[in-house]
Amino acid sequence: MIVPLRQHPKSDVVITAPTGPFQGAHTALAFFAVGVGCCVLATRLAVASTAPWYNKVRPTEELVLATSADDPALRKRLLALSPAVSPDEAERVAHCAYTTGRELAREWRVVWMPGVQNFLVNIGARKGGLCFQWASELLIRLNALRLQTLDLHWAESYAGRPGEHNVIVVTAKGQPFDKGIVLDNWRYEGHLIYGRVTMDPEYRWTENSEELARRLKANSTPIPQSGATNGEMKRPMPR
């Protein structure tokens, strides 16, 4: 998912014909510079059709960078969703979300900027690293925990647009989507960030329960039955 590229002033490249013994070298250097400029422009246009990379957010009070697989603040956030949330499940979700990001970053050989990783995936130089791939892999692993006190949600922002982004949102069992916590491994190259779904400074999240069911079914893993709340799945389904 990406946000629109910033506008830059147009500039004209003028190549003069140098004289003297260094004419060939100067000419070659000029053409090299033009070639590099064209490559950069082509790369930027290619990345513009993938996920956003100009919107790298700074961790805030509402969007926090996880410190470890046993991040106490994340476990506390999950437990605060409801008194019914199991401490064991909160711990396992935090551990899974953090380690999934770190493992995939190594497996996909993730580079320092998400948009560059997107470009590498699109040209076949990397096998993973697009935002929906991070979310899908996390969904699959979290679903395998067979959670009983927490529900999983597929969330999207800028859906159907070049800037679309996908994450997993976790709520207490039967809780509305807008009470949940965003789990995002994409924005910081596999380093987990989290925060309240309604307080993300970069995105406005909506739930897509059909996409959740589709991805779970495609992976042929069961999803625990959810409560009778808006947006929840009503029957077992084969991220």
Side-chain angles (χ1 to χ4, degrees):
M1 352 184 264
I2 72 154
V3 294
L5 293 175
R6 297 172 182 171
Q7 296 297 319
H8 295 274
K10 295 182 179 179
S11 61
D12 296 323
V13 177
V14 179
I15 302 176
T16 58
T19 60
F22 298 105
Q23 177 177 354
H26 280 285
T27 302
L29 182 60
F31 277 108
F32 175 77
V34 173
V36 170
C38 291
C39 289
V40 170
L41 177 60
T43 299
R44 289 167 66 86
L45 291 175
V47 172
S49 63
T50 63
W53 56 304
Y54 278 113
N55 64 339
K56 288 176 64 63
V57 297
R58 296 178 179 177
T60 67
E61 183 180 355
E62 294 299 341
L63 195 60
V64 184
L65 189 66
T67 58
S68 70
D70 188 37
D71 189 303
L74 177 53
R75 288 190 286 111
K76 184 177 180 180
R77 289 278 191 101
L78 292 169
L79 289 171
L81 290 171
S82 168
V85 174
S86 161
D88 175 67
E89 289 194 354
E91 180 179 358
R92 288 193 289 145
V93 166
H95 185 276
C96 179
Y98 182 89
T99 56
T100 294
R102 304 314 303 138
E103 290 171 4
L104 292 176
R106 291 190 293 270
E107 178 184 342
W108 291 338
R109 295 181 293 138
V110 172
V111 298
W112 68 278
M113 200 174 209
V116 176
Q117 182 73 17
N118 291 351
F119 174 70
L120 294 174
V121 173
N122 287 335
I123 66 172
R126 293 290 190 276
K127 69 176 184 179
L130 302 178
C131 62
F132 73 87
Q133 294 173 318
W134 290 103
S136 187
E137 288 295 326
L138 179 57
L139 175 62
I140 290 167
R141 299 185 190 200
L142 289 175
N143 187 65
L145 299 178
R146 299 183 179 277
L147 303 170
Q148 299 299 312
T149 66
L150 292 166
D151 280 336
L152 307 175
H153 308 258
W154 182 271
E156 56 191 22
S157 184
Y158 302 114
R161 297 163 59 186
E164 181 171 352
H165 186 19
N166 308 114
V167 296
I168 300 306
V169 169
V170 178
T171 64
K173 194 73 172 179
Q175 201 172 46
F177 171 79
D178 62 6
K179 301 297 183 182
I181 296 173
V182 168
L183 301 177
D184 188 355
N185 284 315
W186 176 80
R187 273 179 271 188
Y188 279 90
E189 304 88 44
H191 294 280
L192 176 67
I193 57 173
Y194 61 91
R196 284 190 286 173
V197 68
T198 57
M199 297 297 292
D200 193 319
E202 294 295 314
Y203 297 97
R204 298 296 175 264
W205 298 108
T206 58
E207 181 177 14
N208 189 333
S209 56
E210 292 182 358
E211 186 65 15
L212 177 84
R214 188 185 73 80
R215 290 184 179 273
L216 289 169
K217 185 176 181 180
N219 192 58
S220 300
T221 54
I223 177 174
Q225 186 171 348
S226 300
T229 1
N230 182 38
E232 305 292 344
M233 303 308 301
K234 292 297 297 174
R235 59 188 179 83
M237 288 285 184
R239 247 298 108 181

